[in-house]
């Protein structure tokens, strides 16, 4: 039951972070598009920037975990999928999703 | 005199079907009056449950036209327009014994699982404490406990809860509301165990805060806020590493 409590806490914390992060992400996209920045311009800004790497790595980790915990609840309520094995599967799925995002953030940093 | 059609679910744990009855449509009659009239005049074998008839005991709850209600405090004209039929079913989310009578045992088992009984701090062996505990009526904990303490265990909130429908193990609004009153009881000594018991998927963390419990509680209690209180308490306990 402590594990379930911690999943719930993790989902709330990632939600709080994502509320800010999604706003920053969207505003950044709009500024980049409307400002007419090219891919090269964007890469020039993200390359070697620890701040952007940290922000997007955190974003990807939060999004991956948040989504997986949410899907776990939906699967439990609608499909009756419950149990420790499935919990580990959801956690793995969340971390795998996060890893894709973190790899992309690393790509922008390292490009 | 106008007639009132009443469809009553009849059967047992193995299954059942609706049977239709007709009674006189009176100006002032409660749903329980109608059920009693049918049982006395037309269907002596009809099983249902009631005791006080005045909204004190909480034993007459049924599903009336799709909603769980106390039948003793529900006037027919409040739930059915003139000419409209009454449809009565046993309280949802509980095993049916027969007809309109449900087995409340699983409901009260959940109170026990949520540690819904007072565990004296001063006298764990059940002895009488040496002195009275001083609980200021205006204190925050006392007011939180007061807000939920009038529950009479009728099961209307449990029957109205979607989460109970999705997960029969879910403790439900009444048991969690009871636990929250005890979490706010400064005389209670079982806080860590109780908070552990109400946490997790079968506990407060499955609540979606859709508030059907609060909407339908005949006593006007707010189990939804009680559950939110449990979540808040457990959130900070987990974050700060506190154990109960």
């Amino acid at each position: 039951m402590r594990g379930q409590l911690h999943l719930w806490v993790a989902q709330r914390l990632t939600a709080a972070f994502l509320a800010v992060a999604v706003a920053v992400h969207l505003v950044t996209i709009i500024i980049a598009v409307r400002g007419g920045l090219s891919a090269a311009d964007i890469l020039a800004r993200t390359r070697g920037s620890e701040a952007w790497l940290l922000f997007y790595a955190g974003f990807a980790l939060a999004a991956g975990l948040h989504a997986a915990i949410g899907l776990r609840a939906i699967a439990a309520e609608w499909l009756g999928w419950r149990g420790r094995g499935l919990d580990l599967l959801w956690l793995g799925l969340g971390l795998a999703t996060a890893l894709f995002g973190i790899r992309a953030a690393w790509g922008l940093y390292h490009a | 005199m106008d007639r009132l059609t009443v469809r009553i679910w009849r059967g047992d744990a193995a299954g059942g079907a609706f049977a239709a009855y007709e009674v006189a449509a009176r100006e002032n009659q409660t749903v329980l009056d109608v059920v009693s009239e049918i049982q006395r005049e037309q269907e002596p074998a009809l099983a249902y449950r009631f005791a006080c008839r005045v909204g004190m005991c909480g034993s007459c709850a049924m599903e009336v036209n799709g909603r769980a209600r106390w039948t003793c405090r529900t006037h027919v004209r409040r739930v059915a327009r003139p000419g409209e039929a009454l449809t009565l079913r046993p309280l949802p989310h509980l095993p049916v014994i027969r007809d309109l009578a449900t087995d409340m045992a699983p409901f009260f088992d959940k109170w026990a699982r949520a540690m819904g009984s007072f565990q004296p701090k001063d006298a764990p062996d059940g002895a009488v404490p040496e002195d009275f505990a001083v609980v200021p009526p205006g204190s925050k904990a006392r007011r939180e406990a007061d807000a939920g303490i009038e529950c009479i265990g009728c099961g209307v909130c449990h029957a109205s809860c979607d989460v109970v429908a999705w997960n029969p193990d879910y403790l439900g609004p009444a048991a969690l509301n009871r636990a929250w009153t005890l979490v706010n009881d400064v005389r209670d000594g079982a806080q860590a165990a109780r908070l552990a018991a109400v946490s997790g998927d079968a506990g407060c963390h499955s609540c979606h805060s859709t508030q059907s419990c609060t909407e339908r509680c005949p006593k006007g209690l707010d189990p939804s806020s009680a559950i939110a209180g449990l979540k808040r308490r457990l959130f900070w306990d987990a974050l700060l590493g506190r154990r109960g």
Side-chain angles (χ1 to χ4, degrees), chain A residues 1 4-5 8 72 77 82, chain B residues 166-167 199-201 205 208:
Chain A
M1 295 223 252
Q4 293 167 2
L5 165 65
W8 185 86
R72 170 185 176 274
E77 285 173 359
R82 294 186 176 91
Chain B
W166 294 325
N167 180 8
S199 129
D201 290 345
H205 294 112
H208 287 268

Side-chain angles (χ1 to χ4, degrees), chain B residues 211-229:
Chain B
Q211 303 183 40
S212 298
C213 50
T214 298
E215 165 76 21
R216 309 249 169 110
C217 174
K219 298 282 289 183
L221 304 185
D222 186 4
S224 200
S225 291
I227 296 169

Side-chain angles (χ1 to χ4, degrees), chain A residues 32-80:
Chain A
V33 171
R34 293 185 69 88
L37 289 184
S38 67
D41 293 333
I42 293 170
L43 274 180
R45 284 165 171 77
T46 59
R47 191 178 295 129
S49 163
E50 277 84 17
W52 281 122
L53 174 66
L54 215 67
F55 174 74
Y56 273 111
F59 192 137
L61 186 64
L65 288 178
H66 186 83
I69 298 169
L71 288 173
R72 170 185 176 274
I74 295 170
E77 285 173 359
W78 291 77
L79 305 170

